[in-house]
C-alpha cells in the first residue's frame, strides 16, 4: 500500500519550486552534511555578490522536517525575502558521524552551512526545539544573526521547565512525548499540540510516523542533550531584537513561559500572542502567524532604513 505522506513529497517539491525554493545539500565538514531548501537566486548568483532580498532562516521543531514544518511560511515570505529552510541533523537529509547531540552543535552546523551558502546576515525564526537552536546561534554568531523570532520555545530547556511540562501532560519523559512509537501516541501528541480538534484518518498517523520518525536512536540522543540542569543555565546577553510569537492556548509550553521569557530577555524583546492556537501555532493559524511575522520583519528593515 502506498504511503500517503511519502506520496506527498513530489507535490511539496513542485510547490516549493513555484515558491522559488529548491533542495540543496551542503557539506559542513567531512562526515556532516545538511540539507537546505534554498532560494533559486542563491544558487544562480555569482560568488561574492550579495542577494537583493533580506535573508530569513526558518528552523523546524521536533515534529517533522524543515519543509513540512514551514510550508505555509515559505510561500508567504518568498516574494519579499530569501527564505532558507534547513533540515536539522537527523531530520530530512541531514546527518553527521560526530557524537555531539547538543543544540549548540546544531547551531554551529547551521551557521557554517549558511555561511557556505553566502548568507552574511539573517533573521532566524525557530519553532520549539528549533527556537533553542536559534537562540544558541544568535548567542554564538551575533555577526550572522540580525534578529530572532521564536514560537513555543525557550532559551534552554531546563529541568524545571521540562518536569513541569511532563507532569502537566502526564508523560514520564520528553522522549515518550516527542518520539511516539505508535499511531495512537502520535495522535495524542498532535492533539496536545493543537488548540482545535483535528480529524485525520488513522492511516495518516501511521504513514506520518513511518516517514517522519526515522533516526530514532539519534533523535533520542538529541532529546537527552536538549534538557539541561537548572544550575547550568544563565541568560545570555543577546544584542539582537527578539520577537516572541506564541499560541495563546499552548498546552506544551504555556503562555506563562512566554511571559517569563520576555522578562528574561529585557527591553530587546517583544511579544505577540495569537489566540485560538496551540503549540503548532504556525500550522493552525498560518495566515495570522505569517502576517505577524511579516510585520516584525518589516519593522526591522524600517528601523535600519531610518538609521
Amino acid at each position: 500500500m502506498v504511503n500517503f505522506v511519502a506520496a506527498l513529497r513530489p507535490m511539496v517539491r513542485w510547490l516549493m519550486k513555484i515558491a522559488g525554493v529548491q533542495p540543496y545539500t551542503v557539506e559542513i565538514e567531512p562526515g556532516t552534511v545538511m540539507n537546505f531548501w534554498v532560494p533559486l537566486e542563491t544558487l544562480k548568483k555569482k560568488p561574492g555578490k550579495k542577494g537583493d532580498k533580506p535573508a530569513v532562516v526558518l528552523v523546524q521543531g521536533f515534529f517533522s522536517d524543515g519543509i513540512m514544518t514551514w510550508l505555509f511560511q515559505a510561500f508567504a515570505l518568498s516574494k519579499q525575502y530569501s527564505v532558507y529552510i534547513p533540515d536539522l541533523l537527523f531530520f530530512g537529509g541531514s546527518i553527521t558521524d560526530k557524537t555531539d547531540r547538543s543544540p549548540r552543535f546544531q547551531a554551529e552546523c547551521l551557521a557554517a552551512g549558511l555561511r557556505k551558502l553566502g548568507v552574511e546576515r539573517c533573521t532566524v525564526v525557530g519553532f520549539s526545539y528549533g527556537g533553542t537552536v536559534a537562540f544558541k546561534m544568535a548567542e554564538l554568531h551575533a555577526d550572522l544573526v540580525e534578529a530572532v523570532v521564536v514560537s513555543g520555545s525557550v532559551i534552554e530547556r531546563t529541568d524545571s521547565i521540562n518536569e513541569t511540562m511532563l507532569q502537566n501532560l502526564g508523560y514520564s519523559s520528553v522522549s515518550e512525548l516527542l518520539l511516539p512509537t505508535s499511531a495512537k501516541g502520535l495522535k495524542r501528541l498532535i492533539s496536545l499540540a493543537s488548540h482545535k480538534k483535528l480529524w485525520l484518518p488513522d492511516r495518516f498517523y501511521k504513514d506520518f510516523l513511518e516517514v517522519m520518525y526515522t533516526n530514532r536512536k539519534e533523535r533520542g540522543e538529541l532529546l537527552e542533550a536538549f534538557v539541561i540542569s537548572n544550575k547550568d543555565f544563565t541568560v545570555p546577553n543577546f544584542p539582537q531584537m527578539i520577537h516572541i510569537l506564541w499560541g495563546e492556548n499552548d498546552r506544551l509550553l504555556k503562555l506563562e513561559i512566554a511571559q517569563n521569557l520576555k522578562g528574561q530577555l529585557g527591553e530587546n524583546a517583544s511579544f505577540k500572542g495569537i489566540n485560538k492556537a496551540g503549540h503548532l501555532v504556525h500550522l493552525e493559524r498560518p495566515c495570522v502567524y505569517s502576517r505577524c511575522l511579516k510585520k516584525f520583519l518589516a519593522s526591522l528593515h524600517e528601523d535600519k532604513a531610518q538609521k
Side-chain angles (χ1 to χ4, degrees), residues 112-133:
L114 289 168
R115 292 187 194 277
K116 288 193 174 194
L117 288 167
V119 177
E120 296 180 358
R121 292 284 280 172
C122 62
T123 297
V124 185
V125 183
F127 162 64
S128 197
Y129 175 77
T132 297
V133 174

Side-chain angles (χ1 to χ4, degrees), residues 168-186:
N168 289 339
L169 299 176
Y171 285 86
S172 60
S173 71
V174 69
S175 290
E176 184 188 3
L177 172 65
L178 296 179
L179 277 178
T181 56
S182 66
K184 183 179 178 181
L186 177 61

Side-chain angles (χ1 to χ4, degrees), residues 4 38 43 57 97 109 136 152 161 163 173 176 188 222 258 285 288 296 301:
F4 173 73
V38 177
L43 301 178
V57 181
D97 60 4
C109 290
K136 188 59 67 176
I161 291 173
E163 287 167 8
S173 71
E176 184 188 3
R188 186 176 180 222
L222 291 177
R285 304 205 65 189
V288 177
F296 173 73
H301 299 290

Side-chain angles (χ1 to χ4, degrees), residues 135 155 235-236 238 242 244 260-269:
F135 274 128
I155 301 169
V235 180
F238 293 107
I242 298 174
I244 302 164
N260 290 342
L261 177 60
K262 185 177 184 301
Q264 289 175 335
L265 294 169
E267 61 182 18
N268 280 0

Side-chain angles (χ1 to χ4, degrees), residues 135-204:
F135 274 128
K136 188 59 67 176
M137 195 167 126
E139 178 188 352
L140 300 172
H141 299 276
D143 64 315
L144 176 64
V145 180
E146 179 179 14
V148 176
V149 181
V150 295
S151 302
S153 185
V154 287
I155 301 169
E156 296 275 12
R157 182 67 68 91
T158 60
D159 286 337
S160 57
I161 291 173
N162 197 55
E163 287 167 8
T164 299
M165 179 190 72
L166 294 175
Q167 187 174 16
N168 289 339
L169 299 176
Y171 285 86
S172 60
S173 71
V174 69
S175 290
E176 184 188 3
L177 172 65
L178 296 179
L179 277 178
T181 56
S182 66
K184 183 179 178 181
L186 177 61
K187 189 173 185 178
R188 186 176 180 222
L189 171 59
I190 293 176
S191 176
L192 289 170
S194 308
H195 170 61
K196 302 170 186 174
K197 288 186 177 180
L198 301 176
W199 183 88
L200 292 167
D202 289 342
R203 183 185 164 190
F204 169 83

Side-chain angles (χ1 to χ4, degrees), residues 198-268:
L198 301 176
W199 183 88
L200 292 167
D202 289 342
R203 183 185 164 190
F204 169 83
Y205 297 104
K206 178 179 177 294
D207 288 354
F208 193 92
L209 200 67
E210 184 178 313
V211 171
M212 291 296 172
Y213 284 81
T214 56
N215 299 317
R216 298 186 71 91
K217 175 181 176 292
E218 292 83 359
R219 292 193 196 181
E221 293 166 353
L222 291 177
L223 289 175
E224 286 180 17
F226 185 30
V227 181
I228 68 166
S229 171
N230 290 332
K231 62 182 175 61
D232 293 332
F233 172 61
T234 56
V235 180
N237 184 22
F238 293 107
Q240 300 93 344
M241 295 299 296
I242 298 174
H243 190 49
I244 302 164
L245 193 51
W246 211 271
E248 292 183 353
N249 305 99
D250 193 331
R251 285 184 282 176
L252 272 66
L253 294 178
K254 295 188 176 181
L255 195 58
E256 177 187 348
I257 290 176
Q259 293 163 344
N260 290 342
L261 177 60
K262 185 177 184 301
Q264 289 175 335
L265 294 169
E267 61 182 18
N268 280 0

